[in-house]
Structures are given as C-alpha cells and as structure tokens.
Amino acid sequence: MTGWVEAGAWGLLGGAALVVGAAIAWFVRVPQAVIAAVMAFGSGVLISALAFDLTAEAADTGGLASTVAGFLAGAAVYVAANVALARRGARHRKRSGDQQPGEDEQSGSGSAIAIGALLDGVPESVVLGVSLLGGGGVSVAVVAAVVISNVPEGLSSAAGMRRAGRSARYVFGVWTVIALASAASAAVGYATLGAASPAVVAVITAVAAGAILTMVADTMIPEAFERTHILTGFITTLGFLAAFSLSRLGG
C-alpha cells in the first residue's frame, strides 16, 4: 500500500471513532456518568501515548531543546485558537450536558463548535501520518489511544449538541467531515514530510503532542471531572496503565 494512502486510512480510522461515538450518543441514552468515566479513561490513554510514544521519541530523535520548543509551541497555538473559538460559543464543545449554546442563544456557535472539533482532531491525525515515516509501521499504542479517546469525545460532544437542539444533519455532518479531514491530515502529513529530516519530523511530532495534551487538559478532563469527581484520577490512571501496557507488549 502506498505510504500516504496507508496514513490516510489510519487517520480515517481515528476519525471514524468520533462518528461511532456520536452515533451512540444520538441513538442510545447513555448516562452522563458513564460518558464522563469513559472520557477520563480516554484522557489517561492519550497522556500515556504522548509520554511514551510521541514526546520520548521526538526527544530521542530531535533532541530535548527542540522537543521542548515544539511542545510549547503546539500548546500555545492550541490555546490561542481555543480562546478565539470559546468567545464564539465553542468553549463547551465536548460537554455532554446543557453547557453548549444553541444557535438562538449565540449566533455562529454551530460553526465555532464544528471548527473547534476539527481543531481537536487534526493534531492526532498528523501524528498518525508522521509515525509511518520511519518505515516501521504505525504505532499500535498511538492508534489505540486515538481511537479509544475519540469514541468518548464524539459521544460527549454529540450528546451536548443534541441537548442544544442541533439537528442530526448537523451532528453527523460535522463528525463525518472531521473523519474525512482526519484522513486528509494524516495523508498530507505523510506526503509533505516524507523528505524532511528526522529532526524536523521530531519537532512536528512535538508540536502535535503539545496541542493534544493541552486539548486533554482543557476539554476532556473538565468534562470527566464534572461527573466522576473524586474517581476521575483513578479512572484516568487506569487508562494510562492500559495504554502503557499495550505499548510495552507491542514493543
């Protein structure tokens, strides 16, 4: 299989998990406590993948200084974009309760939420594409982290969208577009960075990792804590250990 096609396929798999989560939220009445618990577990999975499969590899390849700089840059860019979107109604885009505003409450919030969801998904897709550049195949732990975390992301966000009065056409349109954009991001990341030096690839990986960690802290963990409270840390730890174990067993 051509490299960029394979990268796109892995990106599509990660994005499709969002659609699956949205479908569950739309057709099944899932208790918010369950949504929050799965969100906490997914947060732990992502944090583990960031620590052991992305940031560590970036530092080994590109050096500590460039990895730190890239990580901070990714976090800063994400925060700046998130602040701008929050002002337009996308602050609670991953919340499953009544926090998301409807279009009648804040005009343009639907577009902002859609763009915010895209902002959350692109860094993960780029990482999947870039991980194939070494020729050793995609990391099973990273793929698992993206899929496991995307299901509750799509579930929680779609539940909030439905509570805000948004239509099925809007909800599934948003997540389908993001799934396709995830595939495109992974394919483009692979194609454009194919000739790049390992140091450049390491920096790009660090930038994406910084954005993902910031997303976890800003959008996923708050949703989880709202319902699971004191159990949030323990459930997140379980997710972390599950991904860490998978990484070690796969290595």
Side-chain angles (χ1 to χ4, degrees), residues 84-93 99-101 106-110 112-113 166:
L85 290 168
R87 292 172 179 169
R88 290 164 174 78
R91 178 180 181 86
H92 300 299
R93 59 184 176 274
Q99 298 93 333
Q100 288 189 31
Q106 187 166 356
S107 178
S109 59
I113 289 170
R166 305 195 186 280

Side-chain angles (χ1 to χ4, degrees), residues 227-240:
R227 296 289 173 180
T228 56
H229 300 298
I230 198 170
L231 292 176
T232 304
F234 181 75
I235 298 171
T236 303
T237 299
L238 292 178
F240 182 95

Side-chain angles (χ1 to χ4, degrees), residues 69-171:
F71 203 93
L72 289 175
V77 169
Y78 181 90
V79 168
N82 203 31
V83 167
L85 290 168
R87 292 172 179 169
R88 290 164 174 78
R91 178 180 181 86
H92 300 299
R93 59 184 176 274
K94 279 194 172 66
R95 295 300 185 93
S96 59
D98 299 317
Q99 298 93 333
Q100 288 189 31
E103 200 66 27
D104 56 337
E105 298 175 281
Q106 187 166 356
S107 178
S109 59
S111 298
I113 289 170
I115 295 171
L118 182 62
L119 172 70
D120 298 337
V122 166
E124 298 172 350
S125 304
V126 171
V127 163
L128 289 175
V130 169
S131 68
L132 289 169
L133 291 175
V138 71
S139 168
V140 175
V142 173
V143 172
V146 171
V147 172
I148 292 172
S149 63
N150 276 357
V151 170
E153 282 185 53
L155 200 162
S156 180
S157 186
M161 291 175 182
R162 186 174 186 179
R163 283 175 172 268
R166 305 195 186 280
S167 66
R169 181 179 180 181
Y170 170 88
V171 172

Side-chain angles (χ1 to χ4, degrees), residues 50 70 74 123-124 126-127 203-213:
L50 291 173
E124 298 172 350
V126 171
V127 163
V203 171
I204 297 298
T205 301
V207 169
I212 294 170
L213 181 59

